[in-house]
Amino acid sequence: MAISNIRYGEGVTKEVGMDLQNLGARRVCLMTDKNLSQLPPVNAVLNSLAKYSINFQMYDNVRVEPTDQSFLDAIKFAKKGEFDAYVAVGGGSVIDTCKAANLYASSPTSDFLDYVNAPIGKGKPVTVPLKPLIAVPTTAGTGSETTGVAIFDFKELKVKTGIASRAIKPTLGIIDPLHTLSMPERIVANSGFDVLCHALESYTALPYNMRSPCPSNPINRPAYQGSNPISDVWAVHALRIVAKYLKRAIRNPEDCEARANMHLASAFAGIGFGNAGVHLCHGMSYPISGLVKTYKPKDYNVDHSLVPHGLSVVLTSPAVFAFTAQIHPERHLEAAEILGADIRTARIKDAGFILADTLRKFLFDLNVDDGLAAIGYSKADIPALVKGTLPQ
């Protein structure tokens, strides 16, 4: 069980300069994206770096929903800069890009596909030491500050894949609830759906002791190990917070309590799924994002079509949990109850349908696009979507 280092509290971002000083950092890489570079979270970091005279270079060219090429651009910047520490300020896209930059700059002779998950890449274990990375998440979603996973679109195959290794987990996640106040409504919604699915999927994943064969050496044990008693605690707690606060956080940008709690839920779910893993919603989401045609979501200031990660994950969730319930119906029923279903007279064999209906109602209340057709897919796309799911 890999547990993350987290610092939580309003305004803790101002300590980042001291952290870098304490690490003895001489050349720091600050990574963010073009939108965030103008917003308060990046400002708070810049002020702290200036106050403690930290020498840094800023890379703000991170792509929202990164690609192999956007990773390579950041890696090139990192190799050239010869940095001894990294700070990532942003959502999952920024933090994941920074993890990849740190990894390949620390392993300069490696080919890009060496560390990419099999079957697309070689999935080699990471054996080189990495530089310290401080992650400052600005969305309440991916939980990337707690995990050893970095996700990108592999353009040539039109599929999302990633790098998964405990070695790339950030040294410290600084969770400052003030940063969530910069998030527009749909970004709150979509990143919140990612938290919802992280919790649901890791709680209903195949249990760790039903997976086989056991790795021949601990170094080959995957970051994602299946549901387990420790991850379960984090997943259920995150689910309770989502049930209580997500709708409030979306509907009222001034609701600091709701946004702060969703920020924490994102980290809680991250610690859970970062060790347990996720399953079908995420596996199927990768081609849904990768094969996007013309869809452009509200509130995202980007020049390319994209299906936000959290949206691509949640759209399949009612169908997924109706299907997976046959393996662990009790857990599916428990999840439905946490999300507001009345299960007093429920039959165990209906667990999947009850959870699916609860999710449909939840999404309907939040004006979510109704299924894959609403984001531009038709029956003709099913073979390509299946083909993109199978490598996962």
Side-chain angles (χ1 to χ4, degrees):
M1 183 78 189
I3 291 287
S4 316
N5 289 318
I6 295 293
R7 182 182 302 143
Y8 175 79
E10 210 165 280
V12 286
T13 308
K14 62 176 178 287
E15 296 178 354
V16 71
M18 282 187 274
D19 289 318
L20 292 162
Q21 212 174 45
N22 296 341
L23 287 166
R26 299 266 176 273
R27 291 173 67 82
V28 174
C29 173
L30 170 61
M31 276 204 183
T32 189
D33 66 37
K34 288 273 192 280
N35 288 328
L36 275 161
S37 62
Q38 313 300 320
L39 293 172
V42 170
N43 243 349
V45 171
L46 290 173
N47 290 340
S48 184
L49 297 184
K51 185 174 176 186
Y52 296 98
S53 313
I54 301 295
N55 173 33
F56 73 94
Q57 281 176 270
M58 180 147 112
Y59 182 83
D60 65 0
N61 228 1
V62 170
R63 181 184 157 108
V64 178
E65 302 298 341
T67 62
D68 45 340
Q69 189 52 55
S70 80
F71 266 20
L72 288 165
D73 294 343
I75 290 163
K76 187 176 166 189
F77 181 86
K79 282 181 174 172
K80 201 172 134 200
E82 297 181 336
F83 301 110
D84 58 5
Y86 294 82
V87 179
V89 187
S93 297
V94 172
I95 299 172
D96 285 9
T97 301
C98 199
K99 290 175 186 173
N102 186 8
L103 171 62
Y104 289 96
S106 304
S107 184
T109 57
S110 294
D111 181 59
F112 181 64
L113 287 176
D114 281 356
Y115 296 122
V116 172
N117 296 341
I120 288 165
K122 293 180 187 158
K124 287 184 177 173
V126 178
T127 53
V128 294
L130 270 63
K131 301 290 189 272
L133 191 169
I134 298 176
V136 186
T138 57
T139 62
T142 61
S144 183
E145 70 280 2
T146 65
T147 73
V149 178
I151 300 295
F152 65 92
D153 270 311
F154 194 58
K155 276 311 209 196
E156 186 191 336
L157 297 178
K158 288 196 167 172
V159 69
K160 262 191 157 58
T161 181
I163 300 158
S165 165
R166 290 178 190 80
I168 66 172
K169 204 156 56 71
T171 319
L172 173 65
I174 291 187
I175 300 179
D176 184 340
L178 292 176
H179 298 338
T180 60
L181 302 176
S182 311
M183 272 195 296
E185 185 216 54
R186 277 298 105 183
I187 295 180
V188 177
N190 292 328
S191 54
F193 298 148
D194 202 19
V195 181
L196 170 67
C197 289
H198 284 156
L200 283 172
E201 289 173 71
S202 60
Y203 194 52
T204 56
L206 191 68
Y208 76 101
N209 55 0
M210 286 173 65
R211 290 174 55 144
S212 61
C214 177
S216 55
N217 182 316
I219 198 170
N220 298 323
R221 181 164 284 127
Y224 285 178
Q225 302 164 87
S227 62
N228 61 78
I230 305 177
S231 287
D232 290 349
V233 175
W234 297 93
V236 171
H237 191 61
L239 198 56
R240 291 189 194 283
I241 300 177
V242 170
K244 184 172 178 182
Y245 289 111
L246 178 57
K247 288 182 183 176
R248 277 175 50 184
I250 293 168
R251 289 175 178 155
N252 179 6
E254 310 290 302
D255 190 336
C256 299
E257 184 195 356
R259 289 201 167 188
N261 273 287
M262 280 304 301
H263 211 26
L264 264 184
S266 173
F268 290 168
I271 294 168
F273 92 84
N275 292 278
V278 281
H279 56 74
L280 272 171
C281 301
H282 271 76
M284 293 165 76
S285 79
Y286 294 152
I288 292 169
S289 292
L291 296 166
V292 62
K293 298 171 186 179
T294 55
Y295 184 79
K296 282 203 175 143
K298 181 174 167 273
D299 289 346
Y300 286 73
N301 182 14
V302 288
D303 57 4
H304 50 279
S305 22
L306 77 103
V307 181
H309 172 66
L311 180 63
S312 69
V313 168
V314 85
L315 285 178
T316 60
S317 64
V320 164
F321 293 109
F323 172 73
T324 54
Q326 55 194 311
I327 298 297
H328 218 316
E330 296 80 7
R331 286 196 166 196
H332 287 68
L333 213 48
E334 183 189 351
E337 185 177 34
I338 292 170
L339 291 172
D342 179 357
I343 63 164
R344 282 173 303 188
T345 57
R347 292 180 305 186
I348 202 77
K349 68 176 202 307
D350 296 330
F353 300 111
I354 293 167
L355 179 53
D357 280 345
T358 307
L359 286 165
R360 275 193 200 97
K361 183 179 179 315
F362 195 82
L363 298 176
F364 181 77
D365 284 352
L366 293 169
N367 310 321
V368 177
D369 296 279
D370 189 7
L372 298 185
I375 57 168
Y377 290 108
S378 70
K379 280 209 161 106
D381 296 305
I382 290 174
L385 290 166
V386 170
K387 189 178 170 214
T389 299
L390 293 177
Q392 311 302 334

